[in-house]
Amino acid sequence: MNDAAEMDDEKEYLAEAKLRRRNNAPHDRFLSSYRARMGYRGDVLVPPAVFGVEGAVDIHCHGHEGQQDGLSIAKLASASGVKGLLFKSIVWRARTDVAGPAGVVREVEGELRKWCDEAGVPPSRLWSGWITTDTMGLSIPEQARRQLADGVSAVWMPVFRSANTLSKVGGMSGWWGEEPSVWTDPLPWDKALRVGTYTLDEHGKLKPEYREVFKMVADHDVMISFAHATHAEIWEMAEQVRDLGITKAVIDHPFSPFIDLSPAQMRELTSAGIYLNFTYDEISPLLGVDPAEMCRTIQALGTEYVTLSSDAGEPLFPNTVEALRLLRAHMEAFGLTKDEVHTTSSVNPSKLLGAED
């Protein structure tokens, strides 16, 4: 081969390598992924049974309108040995015979116990959560008081109605009264503030209604998620956690575009006793976070204030149980030990729900 041909081959190789190497990483994702997938051996897959999720507690399970059915996923979780599911969302808004999501989850629990008795398997534990934008016409503190009295085990700050979300991915225009109701482009920040929800006042401090919610969370000793907060909101919420002595505070999907925390910021938050909840959503094809990067980050942080959960339920995702299996398997394949996987997907989530036993 002459020199010109060798140079052409070298250029072609370098062009291909450049395409495969994001951010000039020393080892591209293609290479690290194959090392992980060829080196990992889990339980043999025997569909429809799901193995590899025994003892897991999912603190971010979805079951609202258009998503997975709550009872069906609870049955699969029970049959698969999942310890418990916290429903961040479940169908309840259209009902007048229940106070909120806790009532629906109690109904699901009753049906699940009947099914498990017949099937001869122990039922997974079920918990309910409430999102602060689901006020149903009441003030935020009034609805929070009602939902906590009814038995929710977790409270989420604003999610898809938050100004941060609307500025990053848009929202349904009907939410703020525009017709026709369609999914919009990301909104300019000033409009997102007008039509969305923002937890800080003009002085950059948490608004009184949200401070009141944090106080109620502390009094009831339940889990609270910062949800889709901006960095400014996160630090103000973290101050509330510190001042009120809250021990069950969580930041969901820290790699997602909504949160987008740096390793240094993650370290500061875990050092303050705030849990980081890494999710299947982040490593799914929809967000595409490199699981190797997620694993390295968890190893650098340590597992004391880290959890793993699904954030699944949408039709474009695997069901929650399969998402848990995939996330646990990916983290083990990319370097977490079995004990670390158990700590982050079972022990720590159990602490957040008061279910250590």
Side-chain angles (χ1 to χ4, degrees), residues 115-139:
W115 182 85
C116 285
D117 286 344
E118 294 173 359
V121 297
S124 299
R125 291 189 64 178
L126 305 181
W127 296 272
S128 57
W130 170 70
I131 303 170
T132 51
T133 48
D134 289 337
T135 60
M136 307 298 285
L138 299 177
S139 70

PDB file of all heavy atoms in Angstrom, residues 115-139:
ATOM      1  N   TRP A 115     -55.252 -10.879  45.022  1.00  0.00           N
ATOM      2  CA  TRP A 115     -54.557 -11.578  43.944  1.00  0.00           C
ATOM      3  C   TRP A 115     -53.358 -12.355  44.485  1.00  0.00           C
ATOM      4  O   TRP A 115     -53.122 -13.511  44.081  1.00  0.00           O
ATOM      5  CB  TRP A 115     -54.101 -10.569  42.892  1.00  0.00           C
ATOM      6  CG  TRP A 115     -53.409 -11.195  41.720  1.00  0.00           C
ATOM      7  CD1 TRP A 115     -53.988 -11.725  40.606  1.00  0.00           C
ATOM      8  CD2 TRP A 115     -51.992 -11.391  41.555  1.00  0.00           C
ATOM      9  NE1 TRP A 115     -53.035 -12.222  39.757  1.00  0.00           N
ATOM     10  CE2 TRP A 115     -51.801 -12.029  40.317  1.00  0.00           C
ATOM     11  CE3 TRP A 115     -50.886 -11.068  42.341  1.00  0.00           C
ATOM     12  CZ2 TRP A 115     -50.530 -12.354  39.839  1.00  0.00           C
ATOM     13  CZ3 TRP A 115     -49.629 -11.396  41.865  1.00  0.00           C
ATOM     14  CH2 TRP A 115     -49.450 -12.033  40.631  1.00  0.00           C
ATOM     15  N   CYS A 116     -52.606 -11.748  45.386  1.00  0.00           N
ATOM     16  CA  CYS A 116     -51.422 -12.411  45.929  1.00  0.00           C
ATOM     17  C   CYS A 116     -51.805 -13.628  46.767  1.00  0.00           C
ATOM     18  O   CYS A 116     -51.096 -14.645  46.769  1.00  0.00           O
ATOM     19  CB  CYS A 116     -50.606 -11.429  46.768  1.00  0.00           C
ATOM     20  SG  CYS A 116     -49.673 -10.231  45.785  1.00  0.00           S
ATOM     21  N   ASP A 117     -52.909 -13.554  47.482  1.00  0.00           N
ATOM     22  CA  ASP A 117     -53.380 -14.716  48.242  1.00  0.00           C
ATOM     23  C   ASP A 117     -53.672 -15.882  47.302  1.00  0.00           C
ATOM     24  O   ASP A 117     -53.329 -17.036  47.593  1.00  0.00           O
ATOM     25  CB  ASP A 117     -54.637 -14.356  49.030  1.00  0.00           C
ATOM     26  CG  ASP A 117     -54.347 -13.488  50.242  1.00  0.00           C
ATOM     27  OD1 ASP A 117     -53.172 -13.418  50.652  1.00  0.00           O
ATOM     28  OD2 ASP A 117     -55.292 -12.875  50.773  1.00  0.00           O
ATOM     29  N   GLU A 118     -54.304 -15.578  46.181  1.00  0.00           N
ATOM     30  CA  GLU A 118     -54.622 -16.631  45.207  1.00  0.00           C
ATOM     31  C   GLU A 118     -53.367 -17.150  44.513  1.00  0.00           C
ATOM     32  O   GLU A 118     -53.247 -18.345  44.230  1.00  0.00           O
ATOM     33  CB  GLU A 118     -55.599 -16.096  44.166  1.00  0.00           C
ATOM     34  CG  GLU A 118     -56.973 -15.739  44.733  1.00  0.00           C
ATOM     35  CD  GLU A 118     -57.854 -15.045  43.712  1.00  0.00           C
ATOM     36  OE1 GLU A 118     -57.367 -14.829  42.561  1.00  0.00           O
ATOM     37  OE2 GLU A 118     -59.008 -14.717  44.044  1.00  0.00           O
ATOM     38  N   ALA A 119     -52.422 -16.232  44.239  1.00  0.00           N
ATOM     39  CA  ALA A 119     -51.211 -16.623  43.520  1.00  0.00           C
ATOM     40  C   ALA A 119     -50.152 -17.236  44.428  1.00  0.00           C
ATOM     41  O   ALA A 119     -49.209 -17.867  43.952  1.00  0.00           O
ATOM     42  CB  ALA A 119     -50.626 -15.407  42.805  1.00  0.00           C
ATOM     43  N   GLY A 120     -50.292 -17.022  45.736  1.00  0.00           N
ATOM     44  CA  GLY A 120     -49.328 -17.583  46.681  1.00  0.00           C
ATOM     45  C   GLY A 120     -48.014 -16.842  46.719  1.00  0.00           C
ATOM     46  O   GLY A 120     -46.957 -17.456  46.942  1.00  0.00           O
ATOM     47  N   VAL A 121     -48.053 -15.529  46.492  1.00  0.00           N
ATOM     48  CA  VAL A 121     -46.832 -14.717  46.568  1.00  0.00           C
ATOM     49  C   VAL A 121     -47.073 -13.566  47.540  1.00  0.00           C
ATOM     50  O   VAL A 121     -48.204 -13.087  47.681  1.00  0.00           O
ATOM     51  CB  VAL A 121     -46.420 -14.156  45.187  1.00  0.00           C
ATOM     52  CG1 VAL A 121     -46.093 -15.279  44.228  1.00  0.00           C
ATOM     53  CG2 VAL A 121     -47.503 -13.262  44.617  1.00  0.00           C
ATOM     54  N   PRO A 122     -46.036 -13.120  48.249  1.00  0.00           N
ATOM     55  CA  PRO A 122     -46.211 -11.980  49.148  1.00  0.00           C
ATOM     56  C   PRO A 122     -46.395 -10.693  48.357  1.00  0.00           C
ATOM     57  O   PRO A 122     -45.713 -10.476  47.349  1.00  0.00           O
ATOM     58  CB  PRO A 122     -44.911 -11.946  49.963  1.00  0.00           C
ATOM     59  CG  PRO A 122     -43.921 -12.687  49.132  1.00  0.00           C
ATOM     60  CD  PRO A 122     -44.678 -13.692  48.326  1.00  0.00           C
ATOM     61  N   PRO A 123     -47.291  -9.801  48.777  1.00  0.00           N
ATOM     62  CA  PRO A 123     -47.522  -8.559  48.035  1.00  0.00           C
ATOM     63  C   PRO A 123     -46.397  -7.551  48.250  1.00  0.00           C
ATOM     64  O   PRO A 123     -45.841  -7.438  49.346  1.00  0.00           O
ATOM     65  CB  PRO A 123     -48.835  -8.028  48.612  1.00  0.00           C
ATOM     66  CG  PRO A 123     -48.885  -8.591  50.005  1.00  0.00           C
ATOM     67  CD  PRO A 123     -48.208  -9.935  49.932  1.00  0.00           C
ATOM     68  N   SER A 124     -46.080  -6.835  47.211  1.00  0.00           N
ATOM     69  CA  SER A 124     -45.186  -5.687  47.356  1.00  0.00           C
ATOM     70  C   SER A 124     -45.892  -4.604  48.163  1.00  0.00           C
ATOM     71  O   SER A 124     -47.110  -4.450  48.085  1.00  0.00           O
ATOM     72  CB  SER A 124     -44.806  -5.122  45.976  1.00  0.00           C
ATOM     73  OG  SER A 124     -44.131  -6.067  45.190  1.00  0.00           O
ATOM     74  N   ARG A 125     -45.125  -3.847  48.930  1.00  0.00           N
ATOM     75  CA  ARG A 125     -45.715  -2.712  49.629  1.00  0.00           C
ATOM     76  C   ARG A 125     -45.937  -1.573  48.638  1.00  0.00           C
ATOM     77  O   ARG A 125     -45.179  -1.402  47.686  1.00  0.00           O
ATOM     78  CB  ARG A 125     -44.801  -2.240  50.759  1.00  0.00           C
ATOM     79  CG  ARG A 125     -44.704  -3.221  51.905  1.00  0.00           C
ATOM     80  CD  ARG A 125     -43.966  -2.619  53.092  1.00  0.00           C
ATOM     81  NE  ARG A 125     -44.684  -1.472  53.656  1.00  0.00           N
ATOM     82  CZ  ARG A 125     -44.272  -0.798  54.719  1.00  0.00           C
ATOM     83  NH1 ARG A 125     -43.151  -1.165  55.349  1.00  0.00           N
ATOM     84  NH2 ARG A 125     -44.953   0.220  55.178  1.00  0.00           N
ATOM     85  N   LEU A 126     -46.988  -0.805  48.860  1.00  0.00           N
ATOM     86  CA  LEU A 126     -47.321   0.306  47.973  1.00  0.00           C
ATOM     87  C   LEU A 126     -47.434   1.587  48.779  1.00  0.00           C
ATOM     88  O   LEU A 126     -47.980   1.599  49.883  1.00  0.00           O
ATOM     89  CB  LEU A 126     -48.641   0.040  47.244  1.00  0.00           C
ATOM     90  CG  LEU A 126     -48.755  -1.255  46.441  1.00  0.00           C
ATOM     91  CD1 LEU A 126     -50.128  -1.334  45.774  1.00  0.00           C
ATOM     92  CD2 LEU A 126     -47.649  -1.363  45.396  1.00  0.00           C
ATOM     93  N   TRP A 127     -46.900   2.680  48.210  1.00  0.00           N
ATOM     94  CA  TRP A 127     -46.998   3.992  48.830  1.00  0.00           C
ATOM     95  C   TRP A 127     -47.491   4.990  47.779  1.00  0.00           C
ATOM     96  O   TRP A 127     -47.404   4.738  46.574  1.00  0.00           O
ATOM     97  CB  TRP A 127     -45.629   4.461  49.341  1.00  0.00           C
ATOM     98  CG  TRP A 127     -45.033   3.628  50.421  1.00  0.00           C
ATOM     99  CD1 TRP A 127     -45.208   3.757  51.761  1.00  0.00           C
ATOM    100  CD2 TRP A 127     -44.104   2.538  50.257  1.00  0.00           C
ATOM    101  NE1 TRP A 127     -44.461   2.827  52.455  1.00  0.00           N
ATOM    102  CE2 TRP A 127     -43.776   2.064  51.551  1.00  0.00           C
ATOM    103  CE3 TRP A 127     -43.533   1.919  49.148  1.00  0.00           C
ATOM    104  CZ2 TRP A 127     -42.900   1.004  51.755  1.00  0.00           C
ATOM    105  CZ3 TRP A 127     -42.660   0.862  49.344  1.00  0.00           C
ATOM    106  CH2 TRP A 127     -42.353   0.416  50.636  1.00  0.00           C
ATOM    107  N   SER A 128     -47.987   6.121  48.247  1.00  0.00           N
ATOM    108  CA  SER A 128     -48.492   7.151  47.341  1.00  0.00           C
ATOM    109  C   SER A 128     -47.749   8.455  47.550  1.00  0.00           C
ATOM    110  O   SER A 128     -47.269   8.750  48.648  1.00  0.00           O
ATOM    111  CB  SER A 128     -49.992   7.371  47.571  1.00  0.00           C
ATOM    112  OG  SER A 128     -50.228   7.722  48.929  1.00  0.00           O
ATOM    113  N   GLY A 129     -47.671   9.240  46.482  1.00  0.00           N
ATOM    114  CA  GLY A 129     -47.077  10.566  46.538  1.00  0.00           C
ATOM    115  C   GLY A 129     -48.036  11.610  46.005  1.00  0.00           C
ATOM    116  O   GLY A 129     -49.014  11.291  45.325  1.00  0.00           O
ATOM    117  N   TRP A 130     -47.761  12.858  46.322  1.00  0.00           N
ATOM    118  CA  TRP A 130     -48.588  13.975  45.853  1.00  0.00           C
ATOM    119  C   TRP A 130     -47.695  15.071  45.317  1.00  0.00           C
ATOM    120  O   TRP A 130     -46.633  15.345  45.888  1.00  0.00           O
ATOM    121  CB  TRP A 130     -49.448  14.512  47.007  1.00  0.00           C
ATOM    122  CG  TRP A 130     -50.157  15.797  46.689  1.00  0.00           C
ATOM    123  CD1 TRP A 130     -51.198  15.963  45.826  1.00  0.00           C
ATOM    124  CD2 TRP A 130     -49.862  17.093  47.225  1.00  0.00           C
ATOM    125  NE1 TRP A 130     -51.575  17.284  45.784  1.00  0.00           N
ATOM    126  CE2 TRP A 130     -50.781  18.005  46.635  1.00  0.00           C
ATOM    127  CE3 TRP A 130     -48.930  17.576  48.149  1.00  0.00           C
ATOM    128  CZ2 TRP A 130     -50.771  19.363  46.938  1.00  0.00           C
ATOM    129  CZ3 TRP A 130     -48.913  18.934  48.446  1.00  0.00           C
ATOM    130  CH2 TRP A 130     -49.832  19.811  47.848  1.00  0.00           C
ATOM    131  N   ILE A 131     -48.116  15.701  44.194  1.00  0.00           N
ATOM    132  CA  ILE A 131     -47.370  16.776  43.559  1.00  0.00           C
ATOM    133  C   ILE A 131     -48.035  18.100  43.900  1.00  0.00           C
ATOM    134  O   ILE A 131     -49.264  18.234  43.804  1.00  0.00           O
ATOM    135  CB  ILE A 131     -47.322  16.576  42.030  1.00  0.00           C
ATOM    136  CG1 ILE A 131     -46.693  15.210  41.702  1.00  0.00           C
ATOM    137  CG2 ILE A 131     -46.532  17.693  41.361  1.00  0.00           C
ATOM    138  CD1 ILE A 131     -46.818  14.806  40.247  1.00  0.00           C
ATOM    139  N   THR A 132     -47.254  19.084  44.283  1.00  0.00           N
ATOM    140  CA  THR A 132     -47.806  20.322  44.837  1.00  0.00           C
ATOM    141  C   THR A 132     -48.631  21.138  43.843  1.00  0.00           C
ATOM    142  O   THR A 132     -49.369  22.036  44.258  1.00  0.00           O
ATOM    143  CB  THR A 132     -46.684  21.222  45.397  1.00  0.00           C
ATOM    144  OG1 THR A 132     -45.672  21.384  44.398  1.00  0.00           O
ATOM    145  CG2 THR A 132     -46.073  20.606  46.643  1.00  0.00           C
ATOM    146  N   THR A 133     -48.520  20.855  42.549  1.00  0.00           N
ATOM    147  CA  THR A 133     -49.367  21.573  41.594  1.00  0.00           C
ATOM    148  C   THR A 133     -50.758  20.963  41.487  1.00  0.00           C
ATOM    149  O   THR A 133     -51.645  21.560  40.877  1.00  0.00           O
ATOM    150  CB  THR A 133     -48.716  21.609  40.200  1.00  0.00           C
ATOM    151  OG1 THR A 133     -48.282  20.299  39.854  1.00  0.00           O
ATOM    152  CG2 THR A 133     -47.526  22.558  40.187  1.00  0.00           C
ATOM    153  N   ASP A 134     -50.961  19.780  42.074  1.00  0.00           N
ATOM    154  CA  ASP A 134     -52.291  19.146  42.071  1.00  0.00           C
ATOM    155  C   ASP A 134     -53.101  19.669  43.247  1.00  0.00           C
ATOM    156  O   ASP A 134     -53.374  18.956  44.222  1.00  0.00           O
ATOM    157  CB  ASP A 134     -52.159  17.620  42.152  1.00  0.00           C
ATOM    158  CG  ASP A 134     -51.619  17.024  40.861  1.00  0.00           C
ATOM    159  OD1 ASP A 134     -51.754  17.672  39.804  1.00  0.00           O
ATOM    160  OD2 ASP A 134     -51.060  15.918  40.911  1.00  0.00           O
ATOM    161  N   THR A 135     -53.516  20.930  43.165  1.00  0.00           N
ATOM    162  CA  THR A 135     -54.204  21.556  44.302  1.00  0.00           C
ATOM    163  C   THR A 135     -55.718  21.393  44.234  1.00  0.00           C
ATOM    164  O   THR A 135     -56.401  21.576  45.241  1.00  0.00           O
ATOM    165  CB  THR A 135     -53.871  23.050  44.363  1.00  0.00           C
ATOM    166  OG1 THR A 135     -54.297  23.677  43.147  1.00  0.00           O
ATOM    167  CG2 THR A 135     -52.377  23.264  44.555  1.00  0.00           C
ATOM    168  N   MET A 136     -56.269  21.111  43.049  1.00  0.00           N
ATOM    169  CA  MET A 136     -57.715  20.917  42.876  1.00  0.00           C
ATOM    170  C   MET A 136     -58.510  22.086  43.438  1.00  0.00           C
ATOM    171  O   MET A 136     -59.556  21.916  44.068  1.00  0.00           O
ATOM    172  CB  MET A 136     -58.156  19.601  43.521  1.00  0.00           C
ATOM    173  CG  MET A 136     -57.374  18.385  43.069  1.00  0.00           C
ATOM    174  SD  MET A 136     -57.533  18.038  41.304  1.00  0.00           S
ATOM    175  CE  MET A 136     -59.178  17.346  41.270  1.00  0.00           C
ATOM    176  N   GLY A 137     -58.010  23.283  43.200  1.00  0.00           N
ATOM    177  CA  GLY A 137     -58.722  24.483  43.607  1.00  0.00           C
ATOM    178  C   GLY A 137     -58.423  24.986  45.003  1.00  0.00           C
ATOM    179  O   GLY A 137     -58.841  26.091  45.364  1.00  0.00           O
ATOM    180  N   LEU A 138     -57.715  24.233  45.800  1.00  0.00           N
ATOM    181  CA  LEU A 138     -57.347  24.664  47.140  1.00  0.00           C
ATOM    182  C   LEU A 138     -55.986  25.368  47.104  1.00  0.00           C
ATOM    183  O   LEU A 138     -55.260  25.286  46.107  1.00  0.00           O
ATOM    184  CB  LEU A 138     -57.274  23.466  48.088  1.00  0.00           C
ATOM    185  CG  LEU A 138     -58.566  22.664  48.295  1.00  0.00           C
ATOM    186  CD1 LEU A 138     -58.300  21.477  49.210  1.00  0.00           C
ATOM    187  CD2 LEU A 138     -59.674  23.539  48.857  1.00  0.00           C
ATOM    188  N   SER A 139     -55.641  26.033  48.179  1.00  0.00           N
ATOM    189  CA  SER A 139     -54.295  26.584  48.270  1.00  0.00           C
ATOM    190  C   SER A 139     -53.311  25.434  48.443  1.00  0.00           C
ATOM    191  O   SER A 139     -53.686  24.323  48.840  1.00  0.00           O
ATOM    192  CB  SER A 139     -54.185  27.540  49.461  1.00  0.00           C
ATOM    193  OG  SER A 139     -54.237  26.813  50.679  1.00  0.00           O
TER     194      SER A 139
END
